[in-house]
Amino acid sequence: MKAEAAQKVKTAPRTGADLLVDSLIEQGVDTLFGYPGGAVLPIYDAIYRAEGSFDHVLPRHEQGAIHAAEGYARVSGRPGVVIGTSGPGATNLITGIADAMMDSLPVVIFTGQVAKGVIGTDAFQESDVMGITTPITKHNYQVQQIEELPRVVKEAFHIATTGRPGPVVVDIPKDISSTVHEKEVESTFHLPGYQPTVHPNPLQINKLHEAMLQAKKPVILAGAGIIHSKGSEELQRFAKNYNIPVVTTLLGLGSFPGSDELSLGMGGMHGTYSANMALYECDLLINIGARFDDRLTGNLEHFAPNAKVAHVDIDPAEIGKNVPTTIPIVSDAKAALEALNKRSISQLDHQEWLDKTNENKAQYPLWHDDYEDKISPQWLMKKVHAYTQGKSIVTTDVGQHQMWAAQYYSFHQPNKWVTSGGLGTMGFGFPAAIGAQLASPEASVVAIVGDGGFQMTMQELSLLQERNLPVKIVIVNNEALGMVRQWQEKFYEERYSHSLAQSQPNFVKLAESYDIPGYKIETKEDLEKVLPDVLNNDHPAVIDCRVMQLENVYPMIAPGKGLHEMIGVTR
């Protein structure tokens, strides 16, 4: 009887949901982040029938699902795949979709929708997914016919992962996923209007090469595009071949080894003095895979005012958008670097410039106050780096702890840094760490989070408990919304309006309620006793580190100021 039943299932006509599952398998998807609901019940039934085909990760909130998918995509380079139901299920994904769009992460999102016949009638759990997501996706679809479903899925993965990566939404009405279809379905596609330029124009490479030969003060700005294109080795070769110092963006950290003598560190609002002065004083700025966002440039009037700007980007819309560009190169970052590295290498004389950048590094390093009996957040970051030997995958939320981690956890490899850059999403760091751990099961993963951001998605502790994922959560607990408080101190005359915590949960007891070890650290002695062992074992942990509440992130570029007008460069 069992064999007969299995045979019937195998030969039964396929539903739209079955076609979707078949398409996911064809795309090589092995991990799904999703939350079931009425409009996706046919899809979940098909997943049930395809038992063993996927590792389905059930978050405790849809926002946890999509941030985990982002972490998975960032670390693995493969698309994160998310399933949410209609109405609130879809709208709970919006923050993560916008985050993935800003940070160019390949995520494919499948949302359930009410049946086609009641779309537009305000049916139960209906939301206009197409209207809501059009501004925050690379592309979106609403499937109208069951026959088009396999093609749409294939197109969605192609668009999400090629060119400039980004999120793609596929909205599937319930009657499409539940309808039975007996005919073979064609899945081939042709997108004549979508043909990303991958290889650089040789004439533009010539122009950049000539500009490099003439430049006396060149600098490379390394962005996340280098990581997306897997071009870190080519970047290192390029910088060393031509002896050019390198500044990284926040999302470009790890694209160039932070310990290399040519590394000037991170540029921008909380970047290093040496990095920002190099951007300000250079005569040739070679931007590879960065989008010149405002947190990097500061006041555009004072950004690289004397530089010829070359911009390599796979998205032509970014070139010239914010900063006038002399040498535009539309290309995949790795392909452009390969083309540049093939040029005959001349020994360029940049010694005077390198001496200046090295002097700035030596004379104006990052600094912080130290305390005998209290923990400074900067000291904490250096200890986390030391005890993990700088080899962990680090995820963060947004705010002060994010900047301290970027400054003091030196990254030497790509795909080790997972943070929310463009959107600046509180609650991102912890679920992103779950996705990163699933993408790289053998890796050490540390989620460095603020006490505010952690409380936005801390329900995902259930996943650590359920799967015994060895993610370490380091709460940089200053009992405040730290960056908000810092801005209120500096620009609102210390009017701390609702930025200081009135009450907090007991994070140790919270962790223990999920059968996860929890630790409260209040002194340096506590930290030295606990942190080395906890960061290097194979179990999850929540580490509540109490740090100085009024500590600020320095250096800093105030709003409206230029890169050369940093404050807090020295004590």
Side-chain angles (χ1 to χ4, degrees):
M1 291 296 294
K2 288 183 178 180
E4 290 178 7
Q7 185 66 20
K8 287 180 181 179
V9 171
K10 183 177 180 181
T11 59
R14 312 292 283 164
T15 66
D18 290 317
L19 295 179
L20 170 61
V21 167
D22 291 345
S23 298
L24 294 177
I25 293 171
E26 183 183 350
Q27 291 299 316
V29 175
D30 56 15
T31 304
L32 300 174
F33 301 89
Y35 206 102
V40 290
L41 284 179
I43 295 173
Y44 272 84
D45 200 42
I47 291 172
Y48 182 86
R49 291 193 294 274
E51 183 180 1
S53 297
F54 308 105
D55 178 14
H56 183 278
V57 182
L58 178 68
R60 277 29 178 191
H61 190 284
E62 286 92 350
Q63 186 175 353
I66 192 154
H67 290 330
E70 289 183 272
Y72 178 92
R74 172 75 74 185
V75 169
S76 70
R78 302 188 299 273
V81 182
V82 179
I83 300 175
T85 195
S86 64
T91 58
N92 282 342
L93 296 170
I94 296 304
T95 296
I97 295 172
D99 191 275
M101 184 66 175
M102 291 284 278
D103 288 351
S104 305
L105 293 174
V107 183
V108 181
I109 304 100
F110 296 95
T111 54
Q113 185 55 275
V114 299
K116 287 195 301 178
V118 293
I119 291 176
T121 68
D122 293 329
F124 177 66
Q125 290 195 334
E126 179 187 1
S127 61
D128 181 6
V129 172
M130 297 295 286
I132 293 169
T133 63
T134 293
I136 56 170
T137 53
K138 190 174 177 184
H139 196 59
N140 61 9
Y141 299 85
Q142 187 176 80
V143 180
Q144 298 296 319
Q145 302 292 334
I146 189 172
E147 294 85 358
E148 67 184 26
L149 185 56
R151 174 187 57 79
V152 165
V153 173
K154 188 175 285 188
E155 282 185 12
F157 278 86
H158 175 72
I159 292 171
T161 58
T162 56
R164 179 179 181 175
V168 177
V169 166
V170 180
D171 194 42
I172 306 176
K174 187 173 182 179
D175 53 336
I176 294 290
S177 59
S178 61
T179 297
V180 174
H181 189 76
E182 299 184 3
K183 298 179 181 178
E184 289 190 15
V185 180
E186 182 62 49
S187 64
T188 57
F189 67 89
H190 178 52
L191 300 173
Y194 177 71
Q195 302 292 331
T197 300
V198 176
H199 299 289
N201 184 314
L203 295 178
Q204 297 302 95
I205 293 293
N206 285 342
K207 288 181 181 179
L208 176 52
H209 189 255
E210 290 171 4
M212 289 162 52
L213 296 177
Q214 297 170 7
K216 298 299 182 185
K217 296 186 288 185
V219 67
I220 297 166
L221 178 64
I226 293 167
I227 297 173
H228 292 312
S229 71
K230 300 179 175 60
S232 294
E233 291 185 7
E234 285 73 15
L235 172 64
Q236 292 178 49
R237 192 174 302 118
F238 175 61
K240 291 181 181 298
N241 283 349
Y242 293 99
N243 216 21
I244 302 176
V246 179
V247 174
T248 56
T249 66
L250 174 67
L251 293 181
L253 289 171
S255 62
F256 191 79
S259 58
D260 193 282
E261 61 183 2
L262 289 173
S263 173
L264 302 181
M266 181 179 72
M269 178 172 282
H270 295 291
T272 66
Y273 179 84
S274 56
N276 284 335
M277 290 308 295
L279 292 173
Y280 179 71
E281 296 177 342
C282 66
D283 62 4
L284 174 63
L285 174 54
I286 306 170
N287 176 350
I288 307 174
R291 60 185 179 84
F292 284 134
D293 72 288
D294 60 300
R295 289 296 172 101
L296 171 76
T297 64
N299 188 328
L300 284 169
E301 183 181 348
H302 301 294
F303 181 75
N306 302 310
K308 180 180 289 188
V309 176
H311 191 172
V312 177
D313 205 297
I314 200 163
D315 184 355
E318 291 296 344
I319 298 178
K321 184 177 79 173
N322 295 327
V323 174
T325 301
T326 307
I327 307 173
I329 302 176
V330 180
S331 172
D332 172 81
K334 182 178 180 178
L337 286 164
E338 287 174 339
L340 288 164
N341 286 333
K342 288 178 182 177
R343 297 282 165 165
S344 58
I345 300 169
S346 303
Q347 194 64 38
L348 305 180
D349 182 14
H350 299 147
Q351 195 56 51
E352 184 176 345
W353 173 236
L354 291 173
D355 289 344
K356 178 68 179 295
T357 59
N358 286 331
E359 180 185 343
N360 284 340
K361 276 202 296 186
Q363 191 168 353
Y364 302 106
L366 294 170
W367 66 272
H368 63 90
D369 289 324
D370 205 0
Y371 307 92
E372 185 176 340
D373 58 343
K374 297 177 181 179
I375 299 172
S376 75
Q378 301 95 329
W379 182 83
L380 171 61
M381 295 303 133
K382 290 194 286 189
K383 286 297 180 181
V384 173
H385 182 274
Y387 292 138
T388 60
Q389 299 180 342
K391 296 179 180 179
S392 288
I393 295 171
V394 174
T395 72
T396 77
D397 285 334
V398 66
Q400 286 184 315
H401 70 276
Q402 177 192 36
M403 293 298 105
W404 285 317
Q407 290 176 333
Y408 289 97
Y409 195 103
S410 183
F411 294 91
H412 311 302
Q413 295 176 304
N415 303 313
K416 297 287 190 180
W417 172 241
V418 182
T419 195
S420 174
L423 198 64
T425 303
M426 289 180 69
F428 172 89
F430 173 38
I434 292 172
Q437 189 73 78
L438 292 169
S440 186
E442 303 305 316
S444 163
V445 178
V446 180
I448 297 175
V449 297
D451 50 293
F454 180 56
Q455 291 182 71
M456 290 189 172
T457 50
M458 64 188 181
Q459 70 276 356
E460 304 308 333
L461 285 168
S462 282
L463 277 173
L464 298 195
Q465 176 191 36
E466 178 183 298
R467 291 169 173 256
N468 194 32
L469 297 174
V471 172
K472 309 303 187 297
I473 305 163
V474 176
I475 305 172
V476 184
N477 190 346
N478 54 12
E479 299 184 304
L481 303 178
M483 192 61 84
V484 174
R485 185 213 58 76
Q486 179 170 335
W487 278 55
Q488 288 174 337
E489 175 189 328
K490 294 299 178 185
F491 311 120
Y492 294 88
E493 298 178 340
E494 299 184 13
R495 294 189 292 273
Y496 298 132
S497 180
H498 302 284
S499 60
L500 303 179
Q502 299 299 311
S503 63
Q504 286 188 325
N506 184 321
F507 290 114
V508 173
K509 289 185 177 180
L510 175 72
E512 291 172 349
S513 73
Y514 288 94
D515 294 326
I516 296 170
Y519 306 88
K520 184 177 181 179
I521 293 177
E522 297 183 283
T523 67
K524 288 184 172 181
E525 184 179 0
D526 291 342
L527 187 140
E528 298 282 13
K529 287 180 180 178
V530 171
L531 213 57
D533 177 62
V534 172
L535 288 178
N536 291 288
N537 66 35
D538 294 327
H539 305 288
V542 174
I543 310 159
D544 178 13
C545 297
R546 301 305 176 104
V547 301
M548 304 290 292
Q549 184 177 64
L550 300 183
E551 193 75 7
N552 289 330
V553 182
Y554 289 123
M556 180 181 183
I557 300 170
K561 299 296 184 180
L563 295 181
H564 63 303
E565 299 174 293
M566 305 177 74
I567 61 175
V569 174
T570 60
R571 282 182 171 84

